[in-house]
Amino acid sequence: MVLGIVLAVWLILPIFIKRILRISFFELQAPVGLAASYVRDLQDYWSLRTRSNNDLIAAGRDLVRLNASYEVAIQQNESLRQQVARLESILRLPSLTRYRSEPARVARRDFNGWWQRMTVRKGRNYCITVGAPVIFSGGIVGKVAEVHAYTCTVDLISSPNLRIAATLDGDTRPLSYQGGDNPSFGPPLGIAEYVPTDASASPTSPKRLVTSGLGGVFPAGLIIGEITRLETSTDGLFKTGDVRLDPRLAEITEVTILVPLLPN
Amino acid sequence: MRRTLVTFLSLVLLWFLVSQANHELSPWRISVFAGGLFVVFAALRLERREGLIAVFAAGLLHDSVAPVWFGLHALLFTAAHAFIYHIRQRVHREETLVGVLAVLLANLGIFLGLSFAVARTLPTGIDPWPRLLMDLLVSQLALAAITPWFLSLQSHALAWAGDPQRPDHSRLT
């Protein structure tokens, strides 16, 4: 009886009231999750304070080497960027989507059998947009699903509902990637579909899968994972296979959100 | 109203602890679902209206962060509350063991309800059940361990808020 009344009231409740309720409850819990994230950062800070000076000197030396190699990469990137701009103007090509990189800390990971999501500590306050690609040093993390006042929610690449236009590294033919099963105690997996029949992959010689740039969400060339198994699909026209994703996805603490820049 | 608020705040604390536990468990690809624990104290110890509001609000809290139809958790929690409230006259509801069993039963029902609702939205070719069954097993074990503590915490929270446990008149009718 009570359940029926609650169900009936809930079903006839106007959508805008439900929307207000959803936003209110989200913003009610948001500071709680964020506070825990800041406390974890503080724990890391104090644990780092216990390191010896020798450790810090060694880390500083490594960083100097890393920075030197990044400086070279930045110069090469700038030269390539100018070359692309020149070719675009000569060939009158539409310019590629440009992105602003927004690094963000992960506040909460929520990986279960139903969905794979994470909350990061930047939202509307940093002009994050829904659908923006999210990456890390190992490749794609996912894309922004919801944006809130100070946080945003990212749908992980391992989420079964996420699909990406992809291609094999070194190939131009498009195929489809979709998040797959996420077994307990194992690495996250995805599924590659519509793979050309002349492609082959095995656990000993996996094929790297990268974004194709089609669809306009993800820039081309970002690493998705490695295809470790391919078999001919039931219609015989394509192959289907398993994609092994980066195991670091499950313990990621910092990501970069690529916010698309408007052409003007 | 005070009992509802105190119970709801204790459920927010539980939600926070479970979400932090899941954050830390994510490298092992397991997660804990504690839906049953959000329902049982309110269903066994509070009056119907007080418990229902607290449980429904806790369900909306879950819905606000989940990619599901808004209200799904709330309605599943309400259904579990209605069921346990209905049978509470026939059990020794002050006993911890009864509380633990009710939590495990409610958790199983809510978990399966949620799983069937979400599984319908998954693309074909995805088999989430092995992972879901492992999550369910881990959740039930975790709940069996923490339920006595949490039910006690909720009782003490009501006492600290200056609300003595009122005799349950519905039990006499």
Side-chain angles (χ1 to χ4, degrees):
Chain A
M1 177 67 179
V2 173
L3 181 62
I5 293 170
V6 171
L7 182 63
V9 170
W10 187 251
L11 287 177
I12 61 170
L13 204 65
I15 295 290
F16 76 92
I17 294 181
K18 289 181 186 171
R19 185 157 174 75
I20 289 169
L21 276 172
R22 181 167 202 152
I23 293 168
S24 307
F25 273 91
F26 186 91
E27 299 301 348
L28 171 78
Q29 60 78 36
V32 181
L34 281 182
S37 167
Y38 282 111
V39 168
R40 270 197 300 274
D41 283 355
L42 194 62
Q43 283 175 331
D44 291 344
Y45 170 78
W46 283 108
S47 69
L48 287 173
R49 291 273 303 207
T50 61
R51 296 285 182 92
S52 71
N53 284 344
N54 287 340
D55 286 349
L56 293 177
I57 290 165
R61 194 181 53 221
D62 291 346
L63 272 178
V64 168
R65 287 174 187 158
L66 209 56
N67 281 340
S69 67
Y70 285 155
E71 288 287 341
V72 175
I74 287 170
Q75 286 170 17
Q76 286 173 341
N77 281 343
E78 182 58 28
S79 137
L80 287 170
R81 200 183 61 75
Q82 286 173 2
Q83 196 175 342
V84 168
R86 208 163 44 245
L87 287 171
E88 279 175 356
S89 70
I90 291 169
L91 299 171
R92 295 185 180 178
L93 292 172
S95 62
L96 296 169
T97 312
R98 297 230 165 86
Y99 297 91
R100 170 170 60 87
S101 299
E102 199 63 69
R105 299 283 291 172
V106 175
R108 191 163 74 92
R109 296 186 290 259
D110 188 12
F111 304 165
N112 54 46
W114 301 308
W115 52 80
Q116 310 266 308
R117 310 184 111 196
M118 58 171 58
T119 305
V120 299
R121 286 194 328 216
K122 281 185 179 171
R124 274 198 298 275
N125 53 342
Y126 281 85
C127 303
I128 306 296
T129 52
V130 172
V134 182
I135 59 171
F136 79 121
S137 56
I140 289 186
V141 173
K143 69 176 180 182
V144 174
E146 292 168 17
V147 180
H148 304 280
Y150 301 102
T151 58
C152 66
T153 308
V154 178
D155 255 344
L156 239 67
I157 193 175
S158 51
S159 202
N161 288 315
L162 192 76
R163 268 186 181 274
I164 299 173
T167 183
L168 295 173
D169 197 12
D171 199 340
T172 53
R173 290 169 293 180
L175 54 99
S176 172
Y177 166 83
Q178 177 190 308
D181 300 330
N182 291 283
S184 303
F185 307 110
L189 296 172
I191 300 168
E193 293 175 310
Y194 310 116
V195 183
T197 48
D198 58 347
S200 63
S202 68
T204 50
S205 61
K207 280 274 186 337
R208 181 181 276 187
L209 191 67
V210 296
T211 51
S212 67
L214 299 174
V217 176
F218 294 94
L222 296 174
I223 299 168
I224 296 174
E226 288 181 329
I227 300 181
T228 54
R229 187 181 64 87
L230 277 176
E231 56 186 36
T232 309
S233 56
T234 48
D235 57 11
L237 297 174
F238 296 101
K239 282 185 172 178
T240 302
D242 295 335
V243 181
R244 186 175 57 207
L245 303 175
D246 195 316
R248 289 176 294 171
L249 272 175
E251 45 201 68
I252 200 163
T253 55
E254 184 138 355
V255 296
T256 299
I257 304 170
L258 300 178
V259 185
L261 294 175
L262 294 173
N264 56 359
Chain B
M1 186 62 193
R2 186 193 295 175
R3 287 157 68 92
T4 304
L5 189 63
V6 170
T7 305
F8 176 67
L9 289 177
S10 70
L11 297 181
V12 172
L13 173 70
L14 176 65
W15 174 86
F16 168 73
L17 294 176
V18 171
S19 66
Q20 291 307 307
N22 284 332
H23 178 86
E24 298 299 334
L25 287 171
S26 62
W28 290 282
R29 296 258 155 198
I30 50 173
S31 74
V32 173
F33 179 75
L37 199 47
F38 284 85
V39 172
V40 165
F41 180 85
L44 287 179
R45 312 271 174 94
L46 299 188
E47 287 179 12
R48 176 180 284 171
R49 194 160 149 268
E50 293 171 337
L52 199 58
I53 293 171
V55 164
F56 194 79
L60 291 183
L61 186 69
H62 279 76
D63 283 319
S64 68
V65 293
V68 293
W69 174 67
F70 187 63
L72 181 62
H73 283 91
L75 291 176
L76 287 170
F77 284 14
T78 305
H81 177 274
F83 175 72
I84 295 171
Y85 189 88
H86 181 69
I87 62 166
R88 77 177 191 174
Q89 306 304 326
R90 300 171 215 164
V91 296
H92 299 284
R93 57 198 176 90
E94 300 290 336
E95 285 187 15
T96 306
L97 184 61
V98 172
V100 174
L101 290 175
V103 165
L104 295 180
L105 190 66
N107 201 57
L108 178 67
I110 296 169
F111 188 93
L112 291 178
L114 198 55
S115 297
F116 282 115
V118 176
R120 285 189 308 113
T121 65
L122 294 178
T124 52
I126 303 292
D127 180 17
W129 291 103
R131 167 68 190 271
L132 289 175
L133 291 177
M134 177 56 80
D135 283 356
L136 178 62
L137 180 68
V138 171
S139 304
Q140 298 292 73
L141 290 174
L143 285 185
I146 66 169
T147 296
W149 164 75
F150 190 67
L151 293 182
S152 169
L153 177 82
Q154 287 185 301
S155 294
H156 281 93
L158 283 181
W160 290 332
D163 189 283
Q165 293 281 316
R166 282 181 279 174
D168 181 21
H169 302 295
S170 63
R171 197 174 186 180
L172 304 174
T173 56

